[in-house]
């Protein structure tokens, strides 16, 4: 969480590093960080580094540096808790130490072999484990009587992101205890940590690859992790290493953060006397009943204020402040697909509402803040998911080990992006195929199938109405359902041989019966069966366009709608796409309003007959130009694809589907001859070729990677 970004006017903002404990001289963690970062300078935050504020009674509690001083201040504020038979506040600080002790011994015992693990296990008895793993609220209710004291001690629950009734006392103790002896901030900002670590990593022969999505952990024959397959800048490659650490399958169990970055016309130091401390503002003392921020309800009950500019001890920053709210990612699912200027207006208004709601909530403790804001930017769960989710219409490439051979096939994602982390594809059996029978007959529940990151440019656009047309409904359904979620008008023309071929019939019928989805959108669904009505004709398509334009357009706007007001999404065989596109253009639809997807099924497992074509399959040595003056020799086995040979040689040619659909592996043939083993065409120099389905016919072949 070391990322920082800059905006016009000299505003610097921090995404996640607000303060760090145990960074004093001589602390073990400080020594470790000095080694990792090369000695980044840490400055202590003010003596009061946290302030806990409560709107219900206007009270403020400041936490000083030092466990003893914090304990004495709590005793002074809540003397009744110390008059009980057992001094509760002192016991709380002792219990924090107990948890730290259990935590260390527990993980130390897990990391050591016998007999040491057995000896240490006695220090992690079930009773002590149960003590550490009770909920924070359970501990507080058993330890204290004063609800206000419990509210003060739990006011930093945003630091661990889960309410006190849902988090373990261990997690609370580790966070609270970490800050007892003061907190620190890197002098040159959190970005200095990343830069310092990068120097160490590079010195040891490593590298940090930003904006790189890992799609697969690569295993050797013994099942040991030896590298990762990753996509960087649209190009896929394999990166190998002695040790592989991955967060694959890691699921986030807490709440999400809404970050609000504010540019001010004056310093928070001058306005509010802030010196770099953090402020936790709560509606009342009942944190376990705190409501997460819902953009539809617009009620704020908890917020965190921080000012990184005051913590970095050097001049040059414009004045700024950061406010964090806590939310449920599900509240923002309705805006996942609004990625264009028109469709995002509602989402833009939501962000404006968030800023207004946050400023109103914190005004009691930073009065008049809204009058000093000259710039604002908001990061919501939609912002974070934009880096790891996928829009409707994309496909995923599955990687399968069938008879010890890696087989790749691409399938459209038929589930909604809102269904994260669930992902569904729909697979049709291909006669004589390799992948589809294996997936349908051999794959069992609980098995693991690896896949590359979702890809594809067949995406929902920004028009207020859309018309999906096609026989391949797998990518169309998530798009139309998303459009309905957004309140758009949708008209669907499905084309199938007969009712049995309509595998999504129940799904479209349910949408038709419901009249659409949330938002009151209207769905007009028309299905054409060629077995009874013959093949779809241009007249059929034109009639559908005219009929649905009037009906849906009138319902959505009260005025007849022309064909030009829609976006059109075509998916199906190439011949069918050409027919429908021709009709659309004749009807006056702009070409820019038409999106097409032609996903044809491969003849899986059909090998190319070299002898029958008078050709000889032989091993070849070709050249790959990766940049100006940079060439690499590549050995290609007889009948092997160029892409397969490149992967064997760890040469990063970008790829995805392996079936010639995505065209990510396209390169330019500079000289020589290559054979397309899918259609039997020999490519001439100067043409673009797909390395996933071509093999060289001559040794002097030279391919050029562009872009």
């Amino acid at each position: 969480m070391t990322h920082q970004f800059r905006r016009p006017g000299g505003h610097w903002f921090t995404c996640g590093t607000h303060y760090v404990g145990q960074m004093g001289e001589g602390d073990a963690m400080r020594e470790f960080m000095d080694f990792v970062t090369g000695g980044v300078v840490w400055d202590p935050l003010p003596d009061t580094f946290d302030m806990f504020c409560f709107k219900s009674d206007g009270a403020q509690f400041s936490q000083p540096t030092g466990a003893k001083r914090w304990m004495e201040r709590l005793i002074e504020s809540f003397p009744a808790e110390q008059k009980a038979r057992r001094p509760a506040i002192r016991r709380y600080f002792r219990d924090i130490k107990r948890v730290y002790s259990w935590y260390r011994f527990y993980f130390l015992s897990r990391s050591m072999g016998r007999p040491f693990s057995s000896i240490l296990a006695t220090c992690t008895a079930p009773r002590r484990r149960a003590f550490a793993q009770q909920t924070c609220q359970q501990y507080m209710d058993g330890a204290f009587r004063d609800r206000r004291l419990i509210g003060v001690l739990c006011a930093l629950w945003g630091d661990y992101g889960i309410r006190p009734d849902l988090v373990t006392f261990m997690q609370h103790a580790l966070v609270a205890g970490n800050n007892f002896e003061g907190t620190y901030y890197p002098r040159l900002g959190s970005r200095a940590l990343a830069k310092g670590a990068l120097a160490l990593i590079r010195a040891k022969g490593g590298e940090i690859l930003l904006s790189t999505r890992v799609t697969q952990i690569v295993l050797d024959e013994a099942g040991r992790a030896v590298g990762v397959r990753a996509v960087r800048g649209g190009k896929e490659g394999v990166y190998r290493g002695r040790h592989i650490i991955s967060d694959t399958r890691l699921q986030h169990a807490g709440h999400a953060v809404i970050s609000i970055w504010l540019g001010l016309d004056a310093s928070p130091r001058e306005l509010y006397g802030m010196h770099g401390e953090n402020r936790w503002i709560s509606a009342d003392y009942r944190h376990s009943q705190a409501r997460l921020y819902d953009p539809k309800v617009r009620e704020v009950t908890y917020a965190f204020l921080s000012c990184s500019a005051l913590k970095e001890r050097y001049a040059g920053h414009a004045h700024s402040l950061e406010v964090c709210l806590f939310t449920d990612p599900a509240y923002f699912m309705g805006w996942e697909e609004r990625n264009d200027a028109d469709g995002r207006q509602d989402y833009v208004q939501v962000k404006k509402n968030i800023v207004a709601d946050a400023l109103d909530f914190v005004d009691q403790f930073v009065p008049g803040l809204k009058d000093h804001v000259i710039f604002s930017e908001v990061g919501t769960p939609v912002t974070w998911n934009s880096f790891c989710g996928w829009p409707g219409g994309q496909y995923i490439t599955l990687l399968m080990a069938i008879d010890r051979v890696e087989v790749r096939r691409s399938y459209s994602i038929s589930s909604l992006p809102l269904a994260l982390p669930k992902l569904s594809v729909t697979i049709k059996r291909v006669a004589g195929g390799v992948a589809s029978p294996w997936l349908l007959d051999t794959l069992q529940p609980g098995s693991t199938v690896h896949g590359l990151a979702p890809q594809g440019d067949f995406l929902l656009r920004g028009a207020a109405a859309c018309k999906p047309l096609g026989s391949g409904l797998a990518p169309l359904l998530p798009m139309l359902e998303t459009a309905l979620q957004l309140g758009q008008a949708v008209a669907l023309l499905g084309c199938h041989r007969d009712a049995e071929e309509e595998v999504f019939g129940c799904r479209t019928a349910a949408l038709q019966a419901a009249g659409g989805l949330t938002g009151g959108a209207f769905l007009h669904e028309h299905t054409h069966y060629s077995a009874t009505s013959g093949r779809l004709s241009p007249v059929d398509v034109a009639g559908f366009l005219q009929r649905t334009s009037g009906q849906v357009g009138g319902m959505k706007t009260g005025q007849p709608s022309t064909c030009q007001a829609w976006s059109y999404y075509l998916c199906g065989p190439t011949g069918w796409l050409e027919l429908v596109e021709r009709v659309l253009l004749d009807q006056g639809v702009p070409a820019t309003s038409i999106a097409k997807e032609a996903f044809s099924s491969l003849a899986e497992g059909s090998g190319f007959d070299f002898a029958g074509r008078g050709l000889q399959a032989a091993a070849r040595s070709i050249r790959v130009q990766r940049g100006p003056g940079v060439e690499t020799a590549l050995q290609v086995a007889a009948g092997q694809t160029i892409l397969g040979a490149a992967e064997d040689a760890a040469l990063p040619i970008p790829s995805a589907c392996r079936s010639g659909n995505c065209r990510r592996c396209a390169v330019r043939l500079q000289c020589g001859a290559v054979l397309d083993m899918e259609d039997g065409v020999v490519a001439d120099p100067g043409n673009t070729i797909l390395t996933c389905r071509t093999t060289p016919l001559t040794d002097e072949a030279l391919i050029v990677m562009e872009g």
Side-chain angles (χ1 to χ4, degrees):
M1 302 177 69
T2 62
H3 181 67
Q4 291 182 282
F5 63 93
R6 181 168 54 188
R7 289 294 181 260
H11 298 286
W12 273 95
F13 296 104
T14 297
C15 288
T17 304
H18 296 291
Y19 57 160
V20 182
Q22 300 186 27
M23 287 295 138
E25 294 290 345
D27 286 340
M29 186 56 69
R30 171 64 180 271
E31 295 179 0
F32 173 73
M33 289 299 292
D34 285 347
F35 166 72
V36 171
T37 66
V40 166
V41 177
W42 293 86
D43 290 318
L45 292 188
D47 180 60
T48 296
F49 58 87
D50 266 342
M51 291 187 64
F52 307 115
C53 311
F54 299 90
K55 292 179 66 69
S56 56
D57 58 6
Q60 300 184 58
F61 300 86
S62 56
Q63 179 175 352
T65 299
K68 183 177 181 180
R69 293 180 61 205
W70 179 221
M71 179 174 61
E72 291 173 347
R73 185 167 297 184
L74 290 173
I75 293 174
E76 179 182 352
S77 301
F78 303 95
E81 291 289 353
Q82 286 303 109
K83 293 180 180 180
R85 184 165 50 185
R86 297 179 63 188
I89 295 178
R90 295 185 185 278
R91 185 174 66 249
Y92 167 77
F93 282 83
R94 289 198 301 268
D95 288 343
I96 295 287
K97 293 182 178 180
R98 287 178 61 195
V99 170
Y100 263 85
S101 176
W102 175 85
Y103 179 81
R104 294 191 186 99
F105 277 108
Y106 175 75
F107 284 99
L108 185 60
S109 67
R110 294 289 299 271
S111 64
M112 301 181 68
R114 292 182 178 180
F116 301 104
S117 60
S118 300
I119 297 173
L120 288 175
T122 60
C123 300
T124 60
R127 184 174 61 84
R128 296 187 181 184
R129 178 184 300 185
F131 172 78
Q133 294 185 349
Q134 64 182 312
T135 69
C136 178
Q137 191 65 54
Q138 287 172 336
Y139 172 86
M140 296 294 177
D141 290 342
F144 304 109
R145 300 174 182 176
D146 194 316
R147 298 291 98 184
R148 294 172 71 248
L149 173 58
I150 295 176
V152 172
L153 294 177
C154 294
L156 50 64
W157 66 267
D159 257 346
Y160 39 80
I162 308 177
R163 289 186 336 193
D165 58 323
L166 302 175
V167 74
T168 64
F169 179 61
M170 179 192 75
Q171 187 65 45
H172 168 85
L174 293 177
V175 173
N178 183 68
N179 298 336
F180 278 166
E181 301 307 321
T183 57
Y184 299 79
Y185 195 81
R187 178 169 297 179
L188 299 180
S190 57
R191 61 191 180 279
L193 302 177
K195 291 181 178 179
L198 178 58
L200 173 66
I201 291 170
R202 285 177 171 168
K204 298 298 182 180
E207 184 59 85
I208 290 180
L209 305 181
L210 300 178
S211 301
T212 303
R213 177 178 297 183
V214 173
T215 59
Q216 179 191 13
I217 298 177
V218 180
L219 307 179
D220 62 12
E221 295 181 355
R224 294 172 299 211
V226 295
V228 295
R229 190 182 305 278
V231 178
R232 185 187 187 198
K235 299 180 179 181
E236 184 190 33
V238 175
Y239 300 88
R240 299 184 179 274
R242 293 176 57 191
H243 304 286
I244 311 300
I245 304 173
S246 173
D247 62 359
T248 298
R249 294 184 176 272
L250 183 65
Q251 297 295 321
H252 176 61
H255 306 315
V257 175
I258 300 174
S259 296
I260 307 165
W261 297 286
L262 304 173
L264 308 180
D265 61 5
S267 170
R269 189 192 310 273
E270 300 171 357
L271 293 173
Y272 308 110
M274 298 179 67
H275 296 279
E277 74 278 7
N278 306 290
R279 299 191 180 187
W280 301 89
I281 303 178
S282 307
D284 54 41
Y285 295 87
R286 300 170 299 174
H287 298 294
S288 290
Q289 299 178 31
R291 288 175 292 278
L292 301 178
Y293 181 81
D294 185 336
K296 295 181 180 179
V297 178
R298 297 185 59 184
E299 179 185 15
V300 181
T301 62
Y302 185 63
F304 170 75
L305 273 70
S306 179
C307 185
S308 300
L310 293 179
K311 300 172 186 178
E312 298 183 26
R313 298 190 178 182
Y314 67 96
H317 277 325
H319 307 305
S320 63
L321 194 67
E322 298 143 26
V323 182
C324 295
L325 308 181
F326 297 84
T327 188
D328 186 331
Y331 295 157
F332 288 83
M333 285 184 174
W335 293 283
E336 286 285 353
E337 294 296 329
R338 301 194 172 187
N339 295 321
D340 60 277
D342 295 329
R344 291 191 60 184
Q345 288 307 308
D346 187 30
Y347 178 57
V348 170
Q349 184 60 48
V350 166
K351 286 192 170 186
K352 293 180 180 179
N353 294 343
I354 290 173
V355 175
D357 296 341
L359 293 177
D360 287 341
F361 180 75
V362 304
D363 185 74
Q364 182 174 341
F365 298 98
V366 281
L369 178 61
K370 65 178 68 176
D371 298 328
H372 297 282
V373 174
I374 58 177
F375 169 87
S376 67
E377 187 164 340
V378 179
T380 74
V382 178
T383 310
W384 319 131
N385 283 348
S386 66
F387 296 100
C388 59
W390 68 87
Q394 289 198 311
Y395 61 87
I396 185 172
T397 300
L398 301 183
L399 287 66
M400 300 156 282
I402 303 177
D403 295 331
R404 299 181 177 274
V405 177
E406 182 184 83
V407 176
R408 294 192 179 195
R409 293 293 184 269
S410 297
Y411 299 100
S412 295
I413 300 173
S414 54
S415 55
L416 278 170
L418 310 184
L420 279 168
K422 178 182 178 181
L423 183 149
S424 300
V425 298
T426 304
I427 299 169
K428 180 179 180 180
R429 186 183 299 274
V430 176
V434 174
S436 59
W438 184 85
L439 287 166
L440 296 171
D441 301 334
T442 305
L443 192 65
Q444 298 297 319
S447 301
T448 298
V449 177
H450 295 285
L452 301 182
Q455 299 183 46
D457 300 321
F458 190 54
L459 308 175
L460 192 66
R461 302 184 183 185
C466 69
K467 290 187 181 179
L469 304 91
S471 58
L473 295 189
L476 293 177
L477 275 174
M479 297 167 69
L480 72 88
E481 290 176 346
T482 300
L484 292 171
Q485 289 273 13
L486 300 178
Q488 297 182 8
V490 176
L492 169 67
L493 173 60
C495 305
H496 309 283
R497 182 176 304 168
D498 49 41
E500 187 177 346
E501 290 283 326
E502 190 182 4
V503 295
F504 293 107
C506 293
R507 195 159 159 185
T508 54
L511 293 174
Q512 176 69 24
L517 290 175
T518 303
F522 173 77
L523 172 69
H524 179 92
E525 190 249 332
H526 173 72
T527 301
H528 184 93
Y529 297 128
S530 59
T532 56
S533 305
R535 292 192 175 185
L536 201 70
S537 69
V539 175
D540 296 326
V541 177
F544 169 77
L545 298 177
Q546 295 171 4
R547 181 175 66 257
T548 54
S549 291
Q551 290 186 12
V552 180
M555 176 165 286
K556 289 296 291 183
T557 65
Q559 300 293 331
S561 174
T562 63
C563 292
Q564 291 89 337
W566 298 72
S567 287
Y568 298 84
Y569 304 90
L570 318 181
C571 184
T574 303
W576 187 89
L577 294 179
E578 293 175 351
L579 180 150
V580 176
E581 183 179 21
R582 189 163 55 249
V583 174
L584 291 174
L585 295 175
D586 291 343
Q587 293 282 329
V589 175
T592 54
S593 298
I594 303 173
K596 298 179 294 182
E597 183 85 319
F599 257 69
S600 58
S601 297
L602 286 176
E604 303 173 329
S606 59
F608 184 78
D609 183 8
F610 284 86
R613 294 293 302 273
L615 300 172
Q616 181 179 2
R620 305 288 183 183
S621 178
I622 68 173
R623 292 171 294 149
V624 179
Q625 182 176 318
R626 305 172 59 187
V630 180
E631 288 189 6
T632 302
L634 180 64
Q635 305 298 320
V636 185
Q640 185 182 27
T641 65
I642 297 174
L643 179 61
E647 290 184 334
D648 290 344
L651 181 64
I653 293 181
S655 67
C657 71
R658 305 299 186 87
S659 56
N661 293 312
C662 70
R663 300 187 63 82
R664 294 180 66 85
C665 67
V667 298
R668 181 167 53 86
L669 180 63
Q670 183 75 19
C671 63
V674 299
L675 170 71
D676 188 317
M677 293 187 289
E678 293 298 330
D679 56 24
V681 175
V682 177
D684 297 323
N687 288 337
T688 297
I689 63 172
L690 302 180
T691 56
C692 70
R693 49 192 281 177
T694 53
T695 189
L697 294 177
T698 58
D699 285 326
E700 68 272 15
L702 170 64
I703 62 173
V704 180
M705 297 171 58
E706 301 174 324

